[in-house]
Short mmCIF file of all heavy atoms in Angstrom, two decimals:
data_model
loop_
_atom_site.label_atom_id
_atom_site.label_comp_id
_atom_site.label_asym_id
_atom_site.label_seq_id
_atom_site.Cartn_x
_atom_site.Cartn_y
_atom_site.Cartn_z
N ILE A 24 59.70 -8.37 -31.20
CA ILE A 24 59.04 -8.34 -32.56
C ILE A 24 60.07 -7.80 -33.58
O ILE A 24 60.23 -8.36 -34.65
CB ILE A 24 57.78 -7.47 -32.50
CG1 ILE A 24 56.71 -8.22 -31.67
CG2 ILE A 24 57.28 -7.19 -33.91
CD1 ILE A 24 55.48 -7.37 -31.39
N ALA A 25 60.74 -6.73 -33.20
CA ALA A 25 61.69 -6.13 -34.11
C ALA A 25 62.77 -7.11 -34.52
O ALA A 25 63.17 -7.27 -35.71
CB ALA A 25 62.34 -4.89 -33.51
N TRP A 26 63.26 -7.89 -33.55
CA TRP A 26 64.33 -8.86 -33.75
C TRP A 26 63.76 -9.97 -34.71
O TRP A 26 64.43 -10.44 -35.66
CB TRP A 26 64.75 -9.42 -32.44
CG TRP A 26 65.83 -10.49 -32.57
CD1 TRP A 26 67.18 -10.28 -32.65
CD2 TRP A 26 65.64 -11.89 -32.70
NE1 TRP A 26 67.85 -11.43 -32.81
CE2 TRP A 26 66.95 -12.48 -32.79
CE3 TRP A 26 64.53 -12.76 -32.68
CZ2 TRP A 26 67.13 -13.87 -32.94
CZ3 TRP A 26 64.72 -14.10 -32.84
CH2 TRP A 26 66.06 -14.70 -32.98
N ALA A 27 62.51 -10.43 -34.47
CA ALA A 27 61.92 -11.47 -35.27
C ALA A 27 61.79 -11.07 -36.73
O ALA A 27 62.01 -11.81 -37.66
CB ALA A 27 60.55 -11.85 -34.66
N LYS A 28 61.38 -9.82 -36.87
CA LYS A 28 61.19 -9.30 -38.29
C LYS A 28 62.51 -9.29 -39.02
O LYS A 28 62.64 -9.63 -40.20
CB LYS A 28 60.65 -7.89 -38.24
CG LYS A 28 59.13 -7.77 -37.90
CD LYS A 28 58.77 -6.34 -38.02
CE LYS A 28 57.27 -6.15 -37.90
NZ LYS A 28 56.85 -4.73 -37.85
N GLU A 29 63.52 -8.80 -38.31
CA GLU A 29 64.90 -8.81 -38.91
C GLU A 29 65.34 -10.24 -39.28
O GLU A 29 65.91 -10.45 -40.33
CB GLU A 29 65.83 -8.16 -37.91
CG GLU A 29 67.01 -7.52 -38.51
CD GLU A 29 67.83 -6.81 -37.45
OE1 GLU A 29 67.30 -5.89 -36.75
OE2 GLU A 29 68.99 -7.26 -37.18
N PHE A 30 65.08 -11.16 -38.43
CA PHE A 30 65.43 -12.54 -38.62
C PHE A 30 64.74 -13.08 -39.88
O PHE A 30 65.33 -13.75 -40.67
CB PHE A 30 65.03 -13.39 -37.41
CG PHE A 30 65.66 -14.71 -37.38
CD1 PHE A 30 66.86 -14.97 -36.66
CD2 PHE A 30 65.13 -15.80 -38.07
CE1 PHE A 30 67.50 -16.19 -36.64
CE2 PHE A 30 65.74 -17.04 -38.06
CZ PHE A 30 66.91 -17.25 -37.33
N ALA A 31 63.41 -12.75 -40.01
CA ALA A 31 62.68 -13.22 -41.19
C ALA A 31 63.28 -12.73 -42.46
O ALA A 31 63.39 -13.45 -43.43
CB ALA A 31 61.18 -12.76 -41.05
N ALA A 32 63.75 -11.42 -42.44
CA ALA A 32 64.30 -10.80 -43.67
C ALA A 32 65.60 -11.64 -43.99
O ALA A 32 65.86 -11.93 -45.17
CB ALA A 32 64.66 -9.36 -43.41
N GLY A 33 66.39 -11.95 -43.00
CA GLY A 33 67.65 -12.73 -43.22
C GLY A 33 67.32 -14.12 -43.77
O GLY A 33 68.02 -14.58 -44.65
N MET A 34 66.27 -14.77 -43.24
CA MET A 34 65.86 -16.08 -43.73
C MET A 34 65.46 -16.00 -45.20
O MET A 34 65.79 -16.92 -45.99
CB MET A 34 64.78 -16.61 -42.83
CG MET A 34 65.10 -17.01 -41.44
SD MET A 34 66.21 -18.43 -41.36
CE MET A 34 65.00 -19.71 -41.59
N LYS A 35 64.71 -14.97 -45.48
CA LYS A 35 64.24 -14.86 -46.92
C LYS A 35 65.41 -14.59 -47.84
O LYS A 35 65.45 -15.11 -48.94
CB LYS A 35 63.13 -13.75 -47.00
CG LYS A 35 61.81 -14.21 -46.38
CD LYS A 35 60.65 -13.29 -46.71
CE LYS A 35 60.70 -12.09 -45.85
NZ LYS A 35 59.44 -11.25 -45.98
N ALA A 36 66.37 -13.78 -47.38
CA ALA A 36 67.53 -13.47 -48.20
C ALA A 36 68.33 -14.77 -48.53
O ALA A 36 68.97 -14.91 -49.56
CB ALA A 36 68.45 -12.47 -47.50
N GLN A 37 68.23 -15.77 -47.63
CA GLN A 37 68.95 -17.07 -47.80
C GLN A 37 68.04 -18.01 -48.56
O GLN A 37 68.38 -19.23 -48.68
CB GLN A 37 69.33 -17.64 -46.46
CG GLN A 37 70.30 -16.86 -45.64
CD GLN A 37 71.72 -16.89 -46.17
OE1 GLN A 37 72.04 -17.83 -46.95
NE2 GLN A 37 72.49 -15.90 -45.86
N ASN A 38 66.85 -17.63 -48.97
CA ASN A 38 65.94 -18.50 -49.71
C ASN A 38 65.54 -19.77 -48.93
O ASN A 38 65.32 -20.80 -49.50
CB ASN A 38 66.50 -18.82 -51.14
CG ASN A 38 65.38 -19.30 -52.05
OD1 ASN A 38 64.22 -18.89 -51.92
ND2 ASN A 38 65.76 -20.11 -53.01
N ASN A 39 65.52 -19.63 -47.61
CA ASN A 39 65.34 -20.81 -46.77
C ASN A 39 63.94 -21.45 -46.82
O ASN A 39 63.78 -22.54 -46.35
CB ASN A 39 65.68 -20.43 -45.31
CG ASN A 39 67.15 -20.51 -45.02
OD1 ASN A 39 67.83 -21.27 -45.70
ND2 ASN A 39 67.67 -19.70 -44.14
N GLY A 40 63.01 -20.76 -47.45
CA GLY A 40 61.69 -21.40 -47.52
C GLY A 40 61.53 -22.26 -48.76
O GLY A 40 60.51 -22.88 -49.05
N ASN A 41 62.61 -22.27 -49.57
CA ASN A 41 62.52 -23.05 -50.85
C ASN A 41 63.60 -24.08 -51.04
O ASN A 41 64.18 -24.22 -52.07
CB ASN A 41 62.53 -22.03 -52.05
CG ASN A 41 61.37 -21.08 -52.03
OD1 ASN A 41 60.21 -21.46 -52.08
ND2 ASN A 41 61.62 -19.78 -51.84
N LYS A 42 63.92 -24.70 -49.92
CA LYS A 42 64.97 -25.70 -49.97
C LYS A 42 64.37 -27.12 -49.76
O LYS A 42 63.17 -27.21 -49.59
CB LYS A 42 66.03 -25.42 -48.89
CG LYS A 42 66.75 -24.04 -49.23
CD LYS A 42 67.88 -23.73 -48.31
CE LYS A 42 68.61 -22.57 -48.80
NZ LYS A 42 69.52 -21.99 -47.77
N ALA A 43 65.21 -28.12 -49.80
CA ALA A 43 64.71 -29.49 -49.73
C ALA A 43 63.96 -29.70 -48.40
O ALA A 43 62.93 -30.40 -48.39
CB ALA A 43 65.83 -30.50 -49.83
N ALA A 44 64.40 -29.17 -47.33
CA ALA A 44 63.76 -29.40 -46.01
C ALA A 44 62.64 -28.38 -45.85
O ALA A 44 62.70 -27.26 -46.36
CB ALA A 44 64.78 -29.19 -44.93
N GLU A 45 61.64 -28.82 -45.11
CA GLU A 45 60.57 -27.92 -44.68
C GLU A 45 61.15 -27.16 -43.47
O GLU A 45 61.81 -27.74 -42.61
CB GLU A 45 59.40 -28.78 -44.25
CG GLU A 45 58.19 -27.96 -44.06
CD GLU A 45 56.94 -28.88 -43.66
OE1 GLU A 45 57.07 -30.11 -43.61
OE2 GLU A 45 55.88 -28.27 -43.39
N VAL A 46 60.83 -25.83 -43.33
CA VAL A 46 61.39 -25.05 -42.31
C VAL A 46 60.28 -24.40 -41.49
O VAL A 46 59.29 -23.96 -42.07
CB VAL A 46 62.37 -23.95 -42.90
CG1 VAL A 46 62.91 -23.03 -41.78
CG2 VAL A 46 63.46 -24.56 -43.68
N CYS A 47 60.43 -24.31 -40.21
CA CYS A 47 59.42 -23.77 -39.34
C CYS A 47 60.07 -22.90 -38.24
O CYS A 47 61.09 -23.32 -37.70
CB CYS A 47 58.61 -24.91 -38.82
SG CYS A 47 57.46 -24.38 -37.48
N LEU A 48 59.54 -21.77 -37.94
CA LEU A 48 60.06 -20.94 -36.84
C LEU A 48 58.99 -20.76 -35.71
O LEU A 48 57.79 -20.45 -36.04
CB LEU A 48 60.36 -19.55 -37.37
CG LEU A 48 61.68 -19.38 -38.20
CD1 LEU A 48 61.75 -18.01 -38.80
CD2 LEU A 48 62.88 -19.71 -37.38
#
Side-chain angles (χ1 to χ4, degrees):
I24 291 173
W26 181 85
K28 283 184 172 175
E29 207 175 297
F30 195 96
M34 290 290 283
K35 287 193 281 191
Q37 298 285 339
N38 200 27
N39 275 333
N41 298 298
K42 293 185 175 166
E45 191 179 358
V46 178
C47 171
L48 286 172

